[in-house]
Amino acid sequence: MARPLLEVQELKKTFPARGGRQLRAVDGVSFTIERGETLGLVGESGCGKSTTGRTIVRLYQPSAGRVLFDGEEVHSLHGSALRRFRRRVQMIFQDPLASLDPRMTVGDTIAEGMQIHHMGTPKERQERVQALLRAVGLNPEHASRFPHEFSGGQRQRIGIARALAVQPELIVADEPISALDVSIQAQIVNLLERLQQEMGLTYLFIAHDLSMVKHISTHVGVMYLGALVEIAPTDQLYSEPLHPYTQALLSAAPLPDPKVTRTRPRVVVQGEVPSPIDLPSGCRFRTRCPFAMDICSQVDPPLIEVAPQRQVACHLHAARSTAA
Ligand code: SF4
């Protein structure tokens, strides 16, 4: 069997906090993404999903754990292997305006990566810029304009063209539609889906809302306070969410299919997310979980496989472990 394109193994990322304490932003996250698939990574603000994405692309060094891209350990790469990784893995950011240099034309912005990676002649790069602008639904004449001349949705299209210019294999999209109008969000998701099919791309698609990742993801992972609490094929996660937190997220986001909305469990959580500097004992969700039991304050439930490709971290499902 071919190895996964991306393997994240027990990844941890801590940041120093006041009083010599540690903020555990990512606290032992593991998942894999096969070629051509999309993992949607979802959770409330501060759950560690963006830090996970940024650590994968080497914007952060991990505190512990490993990230393997096509079998190679990402944070040990040097020289030409690192340059190759930087071409093969690209990131799309939430705020397209902040991620585009206001002094560079759109054409130069898109061509910059190709220049850095010595791809093609100046004429070939120019032709590729035109082709990419067409591919993302913009006019090739837009190459001579500046980012401020475009709408938010158009700027995100420019960000996508820039990421695609160097022919990447994996794209880490960090909340790429959260800052856009609802009417534009579906257009960008459809564009990313079409480009994935045409170019055989693999995506890690980070979002704070389960409804945003449903259509584009083959699998969905749900994060809470730095940990993955559930990961499953998309259909199964939406039709039968197992973790109480996933159930709560789905209860809060009505889905277009009324049959699914009627049959799935309704779970409402109370209270605020605890601080990642001071995690609750045992299960990190127990302070808000309507099903918390005695064991939940004593033992942190591990993420266990309860069915093929389905993993959940909750004592309610420990008896379903396929390892038992
Ligand atoms: Fe709720 Fe306990 Fe499951 Fe945590 S382990 S989600 S507290 S039932």
Side-chain angles (χ1 to χ4, degrees), residues 246-280:
T246 315
Q247 293 170 357
L249 287 181
L250 281 169
S251 298
L255 297 171
D257 183 346
K259 245 193 331 201
V260 174
T261 309
R262 261 200 314 274
T263 52
R264 75 186 178 205
R266 304 275 311 162
V267 174
V268 179
V269 292
Q270 312 286 339
E272 298 292 315
V273 183
S275 163
I277 300 173
D278 196 11
L279 293 176

Side-chain angles (χ1 to χ4, degrees), residues 243-244 283 285-286 289 291-293 296 301 314-316:
H243 196 282
C283 172
F285 188 56
R286 74 172 168 83
C289 179
F291 310 112
M293 310 167 278
C296 303
C314 173
H315 293 303
L316 289 172

